[in-house]
Amino acid sequence: MTTSQQSQRLSEVAAKPTFRVIDGISIRFAESDPGGTDALLLSPWPESVMAYEPTWSRLAETAHLVAIDLPGFGRSQRKDVLMSPRAMSDFILRAADAFGLEHLHVVGPDIGTSAALFAAAAQPGRFLSLVVGSGGTAVPLQLGDPLREWVFAPDLEPYRRLGGRPIIERVIQAIERYALSDAAREDYLASFESDRFAESMRYVQSYPIELEALRDVLPQIQTPVQIIAGLRDTVVPPVNAEYLHERLPHSELQLLDAAHFVWEDAADEYSALVKAWWATGYKTCVTT
């Protein structure tokens, strides 16, 4: 299947947003046909479930995929009490329950990284594996701009006044090689228009406290973790991926020739690594 065909397949699903209410929150999701192992895919920030356009069809060959926009991101409704990694980790577990995903893989790039790791720490044995990376994790914080600017912004009001669209336009210009479909581009812009981007910043503004708490639980996580990040990522430098690899008991590290948006710019390698990991990699990671 060609890249354009892969993009079309997810675009057809996400062009007609499907929602369900989980714990009183309207959540947008996309779902593949049943079959294979269950996998919960968390959308990166500031994108949406459409970030899986270039990998969707390949991942769906071997797994039943459920991709969700986490609360406050993409097109999902926000709930202020969930806008931190630890709180969001509880929601990930509730979402898995709502979709009937009992033993599952989780793919959580970017903001999903810390939340997925907290979830694995909270419920040992629930997840078959995690695929994370490109999210802030290191303590002391090791972040580049614009993320560092957003984390330490003293006031959200300037971002509210500006609105999300011009911010997202600038951010997605950093996608180097992958050509976004018109549907994905518009979805990213619409997902964070008006004050939605400013309000989503609350999540990363919790990093100074939340990542210290994450540091303390990393050595206890027994779930196998594959870490995939861009070697040339200046927004979330690779030191964050290396930090995780050094502290997690069962992990593999893959640094790809890409900048921040590795799941799109290195989609062929990304999907191949995830499929191989789901096939046997997560099992051998624990035994080696």
Side-chain angles (χ1 to χ4, degrees):
M1 183 175 289
T2 66
T3 299
S4 62
Q5 288 172 322
Q6 293 163 2
S7 298
Q8 183 181 14
R9 179 170 176 180
L10 181 55
S11 296
E12 288 172 349
V13 174
K16 299 177 181 178
T18 304
F19 294 86
R20 70 180 299 171
V21 175
I22 302 174
D23 281 2
I25 310 167
S26 178
I27 298 298
R28 197 263 294 267
F29 72 97
E31 187 171 10
S32 71
D33 295 333
T37 308
D38 291 327
L40 182 64
L41 282 53
L42 313 176
S43 61
W45 181 62
E47 296 186 323
S48 71
V49 292
M50 298 291 283
Y52 292 103
E53 266 193 345
T55 56
W56 184 263
S57 292
R58 281 171 283 190
L59 297 181
E61 289 172 357
T62 56
H64 164 232
L65 310 179
V66 177
I68 64 171
D69 287 333
L70 289 168
F73 299 96
R75 300 294 185 93
S76 290
Q77 185 180 3
R78 186 180 77 252
K79 190 172 185 178
D80 287 345
V81 295
L82 295 178
M83 297 306 286
S84 70
R86 274 183 288 186
M88 197 66 81
S89 72
D90 292 336
F91 181 82
I92 290 171
L93 294 166
R94 292 197 293 274
D97 290 340
F99 284 101
L101 311 178
E102 303 227 354
H103 298 290
L104 63 150
H105 297 288
V106 173
V107 179
D110 196 73
I111 57 160
T113 293
S114 50
L117 289 165
F118 273 125
Q123 286 198 10
R126 176 68 187 270
F127 303 120
L128 296 173
S129 81
L130 307 181
V131 177
V132 299
S134 304
T137 52
V139 177
L141 269 64
Q142 307 259 355
L143 305 172
D145 287 327
L147 180 55
R148 185 173 181 83
E149 172 195 324
W150 298 337
V151 169
F152 293 105
D155 186 1
L156 298 182
E157 191 55 36
Y159 298 92
R160 290 193 188 96
R161 288 198 301 267
L162 180 60
R165 277 185 174 260
I167 298 172
I168 306 308
E169 282 278 18
R170 186 170 68 249
V171 170
I172 61 179
Q173 288 176 6
I175 299 175
E176 296 179 326
R177 299 192 293 268
Y178 178 66
L180 286 177
S181 69
D182 291 342
R185 178 179 295 276
E186 178 54 32
D187 196 69
Y188 295 168
L189 295 173
S191 290
F192 294 96
E193 63 187 355
S194 187
D195 68 345
R196 278 184 62 84
F197 179 80
E199 294 303 321
S200 71
M201 289 171 60
R202 296 181 185 277
Y203 184 93
V204 298
Q205 291 202 324
S206 73
Y207 278 5
I209 293 174
E210 292 284 288
L211 296 187
E212 288 193 0
L214 180 64
R215 174 193 58 196
D216 296 338
V217 303
L218 289 176
Q220 306 163 24
I221 296 174
Q222 296 302 309
T223 304
V225 181
Q226 183 177 58
I227 307 156
I228 306 176
L231 184 61
R232 296 182 286 102
D233 190 345
T234 59
V235 178
V236 183
V239 65
N240 289 273
E242 294 161 352
Y243 176 93
L244 286 182
H245 186 46
E246 291 167 0
R247 288 162 177 78
L248 288 165
H250 307 294
S251 68
E252 289 187 359
L253 173 61
Q254 302 285 345
L255 295 176
L256 305 185
D257 181 20
H260 180 67
F261 295 95
V262 63
W263 49 89
E264 287 164 316
D265 278 332
D268 290 344
E269 293 171 271
Y270 193 94
S271 55
L273 285 171
V274 173
K275 287 179 67 176
W277 173 256
W278 287 347
T280 58
Y282 78 96
K283 299 175 183 176
T284 59
C285 180
V286 174
T287 58
T288 55

